[in-house]
Amino acid sequence: MFTACFRTLKVSNKYGLLARYESTLVIAEHNNEMVLPITCNALSAAKKIGGDVTVLVAGNKCEKVAETVSKANGVSKVLVAENDAFKGFLPEALTPLIIATQNQHKFTHILAGATAFGKALLPRVAAKLDVSPVSDIIGIKTADTFVRTIYAGNAIQTLKCKDNVKVISVRGTAFEAVPLEGGSAKCEPAPSGEYKSSLVEFIKQELSKSDRPELTSAKIVVSGGRGMKSGENFKLLYSLADKLNAAVGASRAAVDAGFVPNDLQVGQTGKIVAPDLYIAVGISGAIQHLAGMKDSKTIVAINKDPEAPIFQVADYGLVADLFKAVPELTEKL
Amino acid sequence: MARVLVGVKRVIDYAVKIRVKPDKTGVTTDGVKHSMNPFDEIAIEEAVRMKEKKLVQEIIAVSCGPTQAQDTIRTALAMGADKGIHVEISGAEYETLQPIHVSKILAKLAQEEKADLVIVGKQAIDDDCNQTAQMIGGYLDWPTGTFCSKVENNNGELTITREIDGGLEVIKMKMPAVLSTDLRLNEPRYATLPNIMKAKKKPIKKMTPKDLGVDFAARIEILSVEEPPARKGGVILPDIDTLIGKLKEAGHV
């Protein structure tokens, strides 16, 4: 069965060879209410590849999202798949939909943002197409040549993808967002089918609520590390962040110590951010943390240890006790 | 009781500052400290804990790579895995080895070994791909719980808490299944000396990709590997007022 399934997939791949123009499918990430900003970054990457851009909106409530996406600049078509099967956006349900869409339209590229959603979904799609996916790209040289980081951002790899269908996740911070205006794409239904998975069931989400800007798209990020000593002390950073209209992030040490929830983690295995201003407070600057923030435009480090590696990447460093410096900074701003 | 297959990868140790080769073909690996991918230690630990709870009967540790991958398998055996499988791949083939190849091998082995559960780390810290678990799930048509921070097993039904962007998510799935571990799933144990000695007696089966009928054709061509642009040196400021001055100057506040 295993090999049989490979064989059929290889046949479908051959059609890719006949395609003269690039055509890209972008899988929209949304929450049934609004389209998430990462989708606009993925659209920008799709435009760079060239050719037609189609967006797939799948969920259990799609109307509003599809309407918003259809106005995005450069989108030629929006495919809509509204079905209760897509509750929780499970890859087991979405993959057969994407494969059915691919069989019908023969895209050369399938893209999504490199978020928890995109990372969980795209490799499963790639396996079904028997192609090697490319993760978290930061650059597009040509339609088959991409740039990505390896070793926690300490090396930059340029690779040529030999597969006929390129399945790619896009690092949001590396591509500017396409505006959700100026376009007027047609909305069409995506191929229908029985997509409900009997193997897995979505139970619930527990999302951290915050009035502050979202971490990956914030202009300013204030992050705390082990030096904060307790979750209670993070209040100092929240006050500073509120003054600056900044998002709050954390190092792995702060998350592991239970100071803050894991979705605030910035780094190789957490979120990648590249704000205009990143203020690292009580963070030593381990390789794994730097991987998530060293593309920030300006980096400020506040640490009492003058030897901390964070000072090697900081534009402005302050060797000081954070418990004095942070309140003073908040006060004076 | 379940049989578990765990994928482990030998990577450059997480604490090493890597060096890009001057000819831009890759990074220097000769003479550099290697160890088990941190996420894979968590995968082994989770399997061993399931065995300790009598939910699992046998743990098979698999690694694909050159001869030295056996050291990584030995570490897994010392942590509590029962037997190892080494799929030997070296030289040029190893250079272009991708998750697509590894996931096909693991999917094939999962079938051959009649595994009910495959656990791998969410990503290897060298290629940072984050693909293997998802692809194994795709090949086997098994449900896949990615980025797990909690796994509860009730008679073959798994309740999984996943780390997602906005917080946490809970899903339920039936076995057979594939899981990928996030950092907060557990704290891996250290292998004790007696267990390291015992691990030397545990069997490691050696195989080649050919034995499994997996096609190793390169799916990518690496055009170059380069140093990231270096940040220009910064300055240490004497006080908060100077810092605020600098931030105002740059238009940040």
Side-chain angles (χ1 to χ4, degrees):
Chain A
M1 194 202 89
F2 200 64
T3 41
C5 118
F6 284 4
R7 212 171 296 135
T8 45
L9 287 167
K10 267 189 189 134
V11 172
S12 69
N13 269 346
K14 277 185 189 143
Y15 290 101
L17 289 169
L18 302 172
R20 269 187 67 195
Y21 303 106
E22 315 302 338
S23 61
T24 301
L25 177 68
V26 174
I27 319 289
E29 182 166 356
H30 66 99
N31 58 10
N32 286 320
E33 289 289 324
M34 54 179 267
V35 58
L36 298 185
I38 183 81
T39 307
C40 299
N41 306 107
L43 283 172
S44 160
K47 273 177 86 175
K48 235 179 172 160
I49 289 165
D52 276 352
V53 178
T54 303
V55 180
L56 175 65
V57 178
N60 49 327
K61 239 178 87 193
C62 299
E63 200 183 332
K64 216 164 120 191
V65 178
E67 198 190 307
T68 318
V69 170
S70 68
K71 293 187 183 122
N73 188 285
V75 172
S76 54
K77 198 190 293 175
V78 177
L79 298 171
V80 186
E82 187 169 295
N83 192 322
D84 272 343
F86 304 134
K87 192 177 168 225
F89 307 102
L90 296 167
E92 288 79 358
L94 290 170
T95 301
L97 166 71
I98 296 167
I99 298 298
T101 309
Q102 172 63 13
N103 286 342
Q104 192 178 335
H105 295 270
K106 315 286 180 218
F107 297 102
T108 56
H109 295 72
I110 301 177
L111 262 61
T115 56
F117 166 79
K119 288 173 183 173
L121 173 63
L122 287 184
R124 190 176 181 96
V125 171
K128 289 288 179 202
L129 295 170
D130 194 26
V131 301
S132 179
V134 186
S135 294
D136 216 355
I137 60 160
I138 60 166
I140 295 166
K141 294 225 157 153
T142 66
D144 66 357
T145 305
F146 309 100
V147 185
R148 58 183 302 270
T149 65
I150 51 175
Y151 290 95
N154 287 299
I156 295 181
Q157 184 187 57
T158 305
L159 63 92
K160 193 172 162 173
C161 187
K162 297 180 172 184
D163 288 307
N164 290 324
V165 183
K166 280 89 180 160
V167 177
I168 297 165
S169 67
V170 175
R171 181 172 299 181
T173 56
F175 296 88
E176 251 178 78
V178 156
L180 289 167
E181 56 188 31
S184 55
K186 266 192 313 186
C187 288
E188 285 176 20
S192 57
E194 185 44 68
Y195 297 123
K196 184 142 182 64
S197 170
S198 58
L199 304 170
V200 55
E201 186 191 344
F202 172 81
I203 306 293
K204 61 175 175 180
Q205 278 186 351
E206 289 161 17
L207 303 182
S208 333
K209 286 201 177 68
S210 162
D211 296 332
R212 289 184 197 88
E214 202 267 319
L215 187 53
T216 50
S217 52
K219 291 258 180 273
I220 302 180
V221 173
V222 179
S223 274
R226 197 194 306 271
M228 296 306 296
K229 292 203 169 76
S230 75
E232 189 72 6
N233 291 334
F234 258 77
K235 278 186 188 150
L236 296 174
L237 298 191
Y238 295 141
S239 311
L240 175 59
D242 291 342
K243 261 276 170 60
L244 294 166
N245 190 30
V248 172
S251 70
R252 179 187 170 190
V255 175
D256 282 353
F259 301 170
V260 289
N262 64 284
D263 54 294
L264 296 193
Q265 187 179 328
V266 171
Q268 181 183 19
T269 64
K271 297 205 170 69
I272 311 271
V273 301
D276 292 340
L277 176 63
Y278 188 89
I279 306 180
V281 182
I283 292 177
S284 65
I287 295 170
Q288 291 76 16
H289 185 73
L290 300 184
M293 46 65 81
K294 68 180 176 187
D295 290 329
S296 305
K297 281 205 188 88
T298 303
I299 298 173
V300 172
I302 301 175
N303 204 305
K304 65 180 178 194
D305 174 11
E307 304 296 321
I310 191 80
F311 286 120
Q312 289 164 21
V313 299
D315 299 278
Y316 304 117
L318 204 62
V319 181
D321 180 357
L322 71 93
F323 294 104
K324 288 195 189 112
V326 174
E328 191 188 336
L329 181 58
T330 311
E331 175 74 20
K332 287 184 172 167
L333 277 168
Chain B
M1 270 198 297
R3 291 164 62 79
V4 183
L5 194 75
V6 184
V8 291
K9 184 176 185 183
R10 175 181 178 266
V11 297
I12 293 182
D13 189 85
Y14 73 93
V16 171
K17 173 95 183 75
I18 60 117
R19 279 228 200 96
V20 172
K21 287 186 195 164
D23 66 0
K24 297 184 180 175
T25 55
V27 307
T28 307
T29 53
D30 289 344
V32 176
K33 186 185 176 196
H34 282 66
S35 41
M36 189 190 290
N37 181 42
F39 289 97
D40 302 347
E41 287 184 351
I42 296 170
I44 288 283
E45 176 66 32
E46 195 62 21
V48 173
R49 287 186 190 190
M50 285 181 190
K51 192 176 174 188
E52 286 166 350
K53 284 186 203 147
K54 311 248 180 273
L55 297 164
V56 158
Q57 174 197 340
E58 189 176 36
I59 302 166
I60 307 150
V62 185
S63 192
C64 308
T67 317
Q68 299 95 316
Q70 284 187 19
D71 302 342
T72 307
I73 299 173
R74 287 283 168 216
T75 308
L77 296 173
M79 286 174 73
D82 298 289
K83 66 177 194 185
I85 299 176
H86 175 211
V87 182
E88 189 159 18
I89 305 153
S90 54
E93 275 188 331
Y94 189 62
E95 298 284 313
T96 54
L97 187 76
Q98 292 278 292
I100 186 171
H101 307 117
V102 176
S103 56
K104 280 182 185 179
I105 292 173
L106 290 178
K108 219 41 189 294
L109 286 172
Q111 290 179 319
E112 283 189 4
E113 296 287 334
K114 300 190 171 41
D116 310 279
L117 197 58
V118 179
I119 313 180
V120 296
K122 86 163 175 184
Q123 79 193 59
I125 60 164
D126 52 2
D127 63 24
D128 282 335
C129 277
N130 195 333
Q131 299 169 347
T132 302
Q134 296 88 315
M135 297 190 81
I136 298 170
Y139 286 126
L140 292 171
D141 258 322
W142 290 4
T144 305
T146 43
F147 327 143
C148 299
S149 65
K150 195 171 162 198
V151 177
E152 291 158 289
N153 182 342
N154 297 313
N155 299 319
E157 189 173 69
L158 304 172
T159 304
I160 289 157
T161 306
R162 303 179 57 225
E163 296 202 1
I164 56 166
D165 290 334
L168 297 169
E169 175 178 290
V170 180
I171 55 173
K172 250 187 197 174
M173 58 179 58
K174 290 180 188 134
M175 290 220 271
V178 185
L179 304 177
S180 83
T181 62
D182 216 317
L183 284 173
R184 274 161 286 276
L185 181 57
N186 60 48
E187 204 165 307
R189 70 194 63 193
Y190 288 103
T192 58
L193 187 60
N195 284 342
I196 294 170
M197 299 311 286
K198 265 186 235 161
K200 290 188 175 164
K201 295 201 181 98
K202 292 181 182 175
I204 296 181
K205 189 157 83 177
K206 227 168 131 172
M207 303 183 92
T208 67
K210 275 200 196 87
D211 298 335
L212 295 161
V214 172
D215 171 22
F216 262 63
R219 300 305 188 100
I220 59 158
E221 185 185 334
I222 298 166
L223 299 181
S224 72
V225 174
E226 294 175 58
E227 295 265 3
R231 288 189 75 94
K232 59 174 172 51
V235 288
I236 299 289
L237 304 176
D239 53 34
I240 299 278
D241 293 321
T242 327
L243 173 62
I244 292 175
K246 292 280 186 194
L247 295 180
K248 280 190 175 151
E249 214 175 283
H252 291 303
V253 294

